[in-house]
Amino acid sequence: MKITRNQFLKLIPAAALTLTGCGSKAQPANTESLIFSHHYQLDYAQQFTADCYEGGYTMLTIAESDARFLVVPEDAAEVDGLPADVTVLRQPVENIYLVSTSVMDLLLHLDALDSVAFSGTKAEGWYLPAVQQAMEEGKIAYAGKYSAPDYEQILAAGCRLAIENTMILHTPEVKEQLEHFGIPVLVERSSYESDPLARMEWIKLYGILLGREEQAEQVFSAQETAVQPILSQKPTGKSCAFFSLTTNNLATVRKGSDYVARMIEMAGGSYVFADLTDNGNSLATMNLPLEDFYAGAKDADVLIYNSAIEGMIASVSQLTERFPLLNEFKAVKEGQVWCTTQSLFQQSMELADLIVDMNRVFTKGTPAASTLKFLTHVD
């Protein structure tokens, strides 16, 4: 629904109108200029940068859009003379409307679930138990999907930030409406990172936003450390296909530049579609005719079925009934078919665990189920 600015003003608690930043035009008596200190160190992420200034101010810049957000400490002075394209986010950043599902796990790892007031996904769409519980208890409310948010509900609760993925760019009027009513919109681009460590490093952006930089660095360091022993190993020589089957008899696979392909490589394997390149769009996946999938993957040592699209499979026969030629695949004959858990792509801060899982499959053949977190053996 669309509402007028007068309706918006009636919805916001009176105290909120005195806040600086977050789209407010109010100017406090004390202002200062930004004095650059240093660039925040990022080792992998390419889709955002952070510049630190004296007084605890940090400028976040999102790639491609060049959107800039100045994170201002709670009691710091307003900055004088900021360019019009800079959005001020004064801490604490709270009552967030979170649409990008991949961000939720990062906030969980920062113990910052209470900063989220609204979700763009219904409770049954979450595979993260803590989020499901928070929604069932009314701590997080469903406020509509990215293309149809409940503006009245969001505004009435004093939302301080909307975190969207790039799907919002298909409905720019929604972004404009949120910003018109004083709600900053951060369109995050972690999904455009081609390296899993780069994706996980986005936790540092949210650490900056929420004043939890040290915790973010510790969490990321733990994930980085978890994969280091594997990265020092020699390649296993095992080839792998990561795929799903669509209802219209196509195989959905990842492009060679995608982060899943990179994870297979980091785990010591080789991705069979590594040479599959961009076909003119920014999507990470491609749909192949089954004949082309057969030609590229029939000799793969390992098949990993992606459950995120069509759901998990309980047996290989579920696939061979739809694609009989699968019976001729080397991995099927040798019992090397695996399926991801449906929670995988929402547990975005735990990609290191999937790399470890893959490595165990590549090196041990059929490791014990108790040693795997995201892969399930399929007979």
Side-chain angles (χ1 to χ4, degrees), residues 122-311:
K122 294 181 179 180
E124 59 268 26
W126 286 105
Y127 298 104
L128 305 173
V131 180
Q132 287 181 330
Q133 182 177 347
M135 295 192 74
E136 290 166 359
E137 294 175 353
K139 295 177 181 177
I140 298 176
Y142 174 64
K145 62 181 181 178
Y146 77 95
S147 59
D150 187 332
Y151 294 105
E152 184 173 353
Q153 181 184 20
I154 294 168
L155 292 168
C159 175
R160 303 286 293 277
L161 177 66
I163 300 177
E164 306 268 359
N165 57 38
T166 54
M167 289 295 291
I168 192 67
L169 302 180
H170 297 296
T171 55
E173 67 277 7
V174 173
K175 182 175 182 291
E176 292 170 4
Q177 184 81 326
L178 288 167
E179 292 172 337
H180 174 71
F181 293 127
I183 298 176
V185 178
L186 190 157
V187 182
E188 68 96 30
R189 292 179 56 87
S190 63
S191 63
Y192 287 78
E193 301 283 3
S194 60
D195 186 291
L197 289 171
R199 286 188 167 217
M200 290 189 287
E201 198 169 26
W202 273 71
I203 195 171
K204 295 179 181 179
L205 180 145
Y206 299 103
I208 291 169
L209 273 180
L210 301 173
R212 306 189 184 202
E213 296 98 323
E214 184 175 343
Q215 186 173 351
E217 290 168 5
Q218 290 173 350
V219 171
F220 177 76
S221 178
Q223 295 299 310
E224 186 181 29
T225 300
V227 299
Q228 287 305 318
I230 294 174
L231 297 180
S232 63
Q233 297 175 8
K234 294 180 179 180
T236 63
K238 296 296 178 66
S239 56
C240 177
F242 189 95
F243 76 107
S244 63
L245 297 182
T246 70
T247 54
N248 56 345
N249 294 320
L250 294 171
T252 301
V253 300
R254 298 278 171 158
K255 294 177 183 176
S257 59
D258 181 62
Y259 80 105
V260 172
R262 173 63 179 145
M263 282 197 290
I264 292 170
E265 179 186 344
M266 293 170 72
S270 60
Y271 180 51
V272 296
F273 294 108
D275 294 332
L276 199 61
T277 56
D278 188 13
N279 60 343
N281 62 47
S282 59
L283 297 176
T285 60
M286 287 184 66
N287 287 329
L288 297 179
L290 293 183
E291 295 81 1
D292 292 347
F293 178 69
Y294 173 83
K298 64 183 177 63
D299 294 324
D301 296 300
V302 176
L303 293 180
I304 298 179
Y305 189 80
N306 176 13
S307 68
I309 301 175
E310 302 289 343

Side-chain angles (χ1 to χ4, degrees), residues 84-141:
D85 68 325
V86 174
T87 300
V88 175
L89 297 175
R90 182 173 290 275
Q91 295 171 328
V93 179
E94 55 192 4
N95 292 336
I96 293 171
Y97 169 43
L98 183 58
V99 178
S100 179
T101 55
S102 64
V103 173
M104 188 69 86
D105 196 44
L106 309 188
L107 300 186
L108 283 172
H109 278 78
L110 292 174
D111 300 317
L113 189 60
D114 58 357
S115 67
V116 179
F118 304 105
S119 167
T121 301
K122 294 181 179 180
E124 59 268 26
W126 286 105
Y127 298 104
L128 305 173
V131 180
Q132 287 181 330
Q133 182 177 347
M135 295 192 74
E136 290 166 359
E137 294 175 353
K139 295 177 181 177
I140 298 176

